[in-house]
Amino acid sequence: ALGSRQKMAINSKFVTELTGTIEQLKADKVYKRLNYLDSPQSARVQMEGRGEILILSSNNYLGLSDEPSVIDAGHEALDKYGAGTGSVRFICGTFTIHRQLEQALARFAGTESSMSYVSCWNANEGLTATIVEEGDFVISDALNHASIIDSIRLAKAITKCTTAVYKHSDMDDLRAKLAANRGARRKLIWTDGVFSMEGDVARLPEILDIAREHDAVVAMDDSHASGVLGKTGRGTAEHHGVFGEVDIITSTLGKALGGAAGGFTAGSAALTDYLTQRSRPQLFSNALPPTVAGSSLAAVRFIETHPERVTRLHENARYFRSAITEAGLKPLEGDTPIVPIIVGETSLAIQISDMMLDEGVFVTGFGYPVVPQGHARIRCQVSAAHTRADLDFAVESCKKVGRKVGLLR
């Protein structure tokens, strides 16, 4: 009987193995520690144990995480719709706030329709395996985000489709591998819009041209470009002058579009209808919480009516990139608010990050396996919420720490 069953201990070997691996990470100086904030995400925050800190590592590109109208809209949706759907949308009903958000996101992305998910990871995961099958070919840029990589791995395991990777932004390699798979029933090209670790932008017009030559479908994750690139923040397609020409766009609501959580897939009405029928994260997971849907809808509307916020972001990014270069550091070239500074080893990147925090600047060091061995970096991320004084303070802190670790003389 259940009441007489002797209580069992948890698997101690499993815990011991994990603990040993964690201790090795600490010994190798690549262990990641969480820093706790006690205020809204903004240009400056209150960090537990440290007081006021300048944030230079957030995806809050437009400063909308603490925008009053965005917060108010989240409150209103929570009051009107409650905490959530309580189940899957098709089983127990969906909310009208989801429909309003999806209509706004489709307009914003330049597509006919969109479908929201609880994250862009879910959106990517729920796309590839849903739209390909055995005999199809999926090809991905070498520096695509982990969510795209895992989406393709999952699709290959489920559908037995053929997959390949082309060298980063190498259009000749893309052409050659598409040509080698010309017999595939369906060909899908996956690319990021902005590559998050490099800060560079996909060669989208060329990718679209190549796709048309080979009768391929283009899917683009625009997470670091939505609200960021283009004159009005519509993303990579607007940046390149090809707005409305991309077959499928996925993106996040957790960066420039309010900073909360959630993601979406945008494309034709046929695509989103098909995803409703077959996409597993849609069929087996709850919908986006209404408060997030409400705040994200307000964020989209804010961007549409305040293009000056996007302009300020672009100006801040140019200013910071110029100032950090003038200081003697050598960031990777780019046109985005992502400004990576290569430092070499992972342990050095984490050391610099810790030292910057001691100076009052929170900026994250990234190393292996997020980036290749020997290419660890400090990834600076600029926001429209930063003042010039904030950016100057960040540059001076970079110079001070750079001299201490030998990056600057």
Side-chain angles (χ1 to χ4, degrees):
L2 182 63
S4 61
R5 183 181 179 277
Q6 185 176 357
K7 186 176 181 180
M8 302 286 288
I10 63 172
N11 190 317
S12 59
K13 180 185 175 185
F14 173 62
V15 175
T16 300
E17 289 171 347
L18 291 179
T19 302
T21 302
I22 290 168
E23 290 305 315
Q24 188 60 53
L25 292 175
K26 291 178 179 177
D28 293 340
K29 297 184 176 9
V30 295
Y31 179 75
K32 301 173 185 66
R33 290 178 173 81
L34 298 178
N35 292 292
Y36 290 90
L37 308 184
D38 197 29
S39 66
Q41 186 65 257
S42 191
R44 290 180 179 269
V45 300
Q46 292 297 316
M47 183 176 287
E48 196 173 80
R50 291 185 179 270
E52 186 176 87
I53 295 291
L54 175 68
I55 294 282
L56 197 65
S57 56
S58 173
N59 300 319
N60 182 29
Y61 292 116
L62 295 177
L64 297 184
S65 291
D66 61 346
E67 167 61 37
S69 63
V70 172
I71 296 171
D72 289 346
H75 287 158
E76 291 168 8
L78 181 62
D79 290 340
K80 181 174 181 178
Y81 298 101
T85 54
S87 184
V88 180
R89 291 169 75 172
F90 88 93
I91 292 177
C92 65
T94 190
F95 291 129
T96 54
I97 190 70
H98 291 113
R99 181 173 60 199
Q100 293 173 52
L101 173 62
E102 288 161 354
Q103 290 171 343
L105 290 170
R107 181 179 68 247
F108 190 77
T111 62
E112 187 179 17
S113 183
S114 83
M115 173 67 66
S116 61
Y117 288 80
V118 295
S119 70
C120 187
W121 189 290
N122 259 186
N124 289 345
E125 179 184 58
L127 177 64
T128 312
T130 305
I131 63 172
V132 302
E133 58 188 50
E134 188 172 3
D136 292 348
F137 177 61
V138 184
I139 185 165
S140 174
D141 188 287
L143 294 187
N144 276 344
H145 189 264
S147 61
I148 299 174
I149 295 169
D150 279 12
S151 170
I152 294 169
R153 288 172 174 169
L154 183 63
K156 186 172 185 177
I158 293 173
T159 71
K160 312 304 179 188
C161 65
T162 302
T163 66
V165 174
Y166 64 95
K167 297 172 187 175
H168 178 50
S169 288
D170 187 327
M171 299 297 99
D172 290 336
D173 195 34
L174 174 59
R175 281 192 183 90
K177 286 172 176 169
L178 282 168
N181 290 271
R182 63 173 58 89
R185 181 193 72 100
R186 175 174 292 159
K187 294 173 281 291
L188 176 65
I189 302 170
W190 254 118
T191 184
D192 269 320
V194 171
F195 296 90
S196 61
M197 285 299 132
E198 309 298 306
D200 60 331
V201 184
R203 296 164 65 175
L204 185 57
E206 293 171 81
I207 292 171
L208 291 172
D209 287 344
I210 292 169
R212 301 307 176 248
E213 291 169 13
H214 293 271
D215 191 29
V217 176
V218 174
M220 177 176 68
D221 182 333
D222 226 23
S223 290
H224 282 276
S226 296
V228 175
L229 290 188
K231 186 176 180 180
T232 62
R234 302 301 181 92
T236 305
E238 184 186 33
H239 173 78
H240 280 302
V242 292
F243 189 71
E245 297 181 31
V246 184
D247 299 301
I248 305 169
I249 294 174
T250 67
S251 192
T252 183
L253 307 174
K255 294 181 172 58
L257 304 185
F264 64 93
T265 299
S268 65
L271 171 67
T272 57
D273 193 6
Y274 190 67
L275 293 175
T276 302
Q277 310 307 313
R278 295 294 173 84
S279 179
R280 290 173 71 83
Q282 280 290 327
L283 294 173
F284 297 99
S285 182
N286 283 22
L288 197 65
T291 182
V292 176
S295 61
S296 299
L297 175 58
V300 172
R301 289 172 174 170
F302 184 96
I303 297 168
E304 289 176 329
T305 55
H306 295 82
E308 71 279 0
R309 188 69 69 97
V310 179
T311 301
R312 190 190 311 161
L313 172 64
H314 296 170
E315 291 172 347
N316 279 356
R318 285 192 295 269
Y319 179 83
F320 180 78
R321 189 180 290 275
S322 174
I324 208 76
T325 303
E326 188 176 325
L329 293 166
K330 298 178 180 178
L332 296 179
E333 294 183 3
D335 299 317
T336 72
I338 300 172
V339 186
I341 302 169
I342 306 298
V343 300
E345 296 305 315
T346 300
S347 58
L348 179 58
I350 292 177
Q351 178 190 358
I352 291 172
S353 178
D354 290 341
M355 293 173 70
M356 287 290 288
L357 194 52
D358 290 338
E359 295 297 323
V361 179
F362 186 16
V363 61
T364 305
F366 289 91
Y368 182 82
V370 178
V371 297
Q373 290 275 20
H375 291 266
R377 63 203 61 192
I378 299 297
R379 186 179 73 174
C380 305
Q381 291 173 272
V382 179
S383 171
H386 285 130
T387 65
R388 289 297 166 90
D390 290 333
L391 298 177
D392 289 341
F393 177 74
V395 171
E396 288 304 312
S397 299
C398 286
K399 288 163 66 174
K400 187 174 180 179
V401 172
R403 284 190 289 267
K404 286 181 179 179
V405 300
L407 290 178
L408 294 174
R409 293 186 179 182

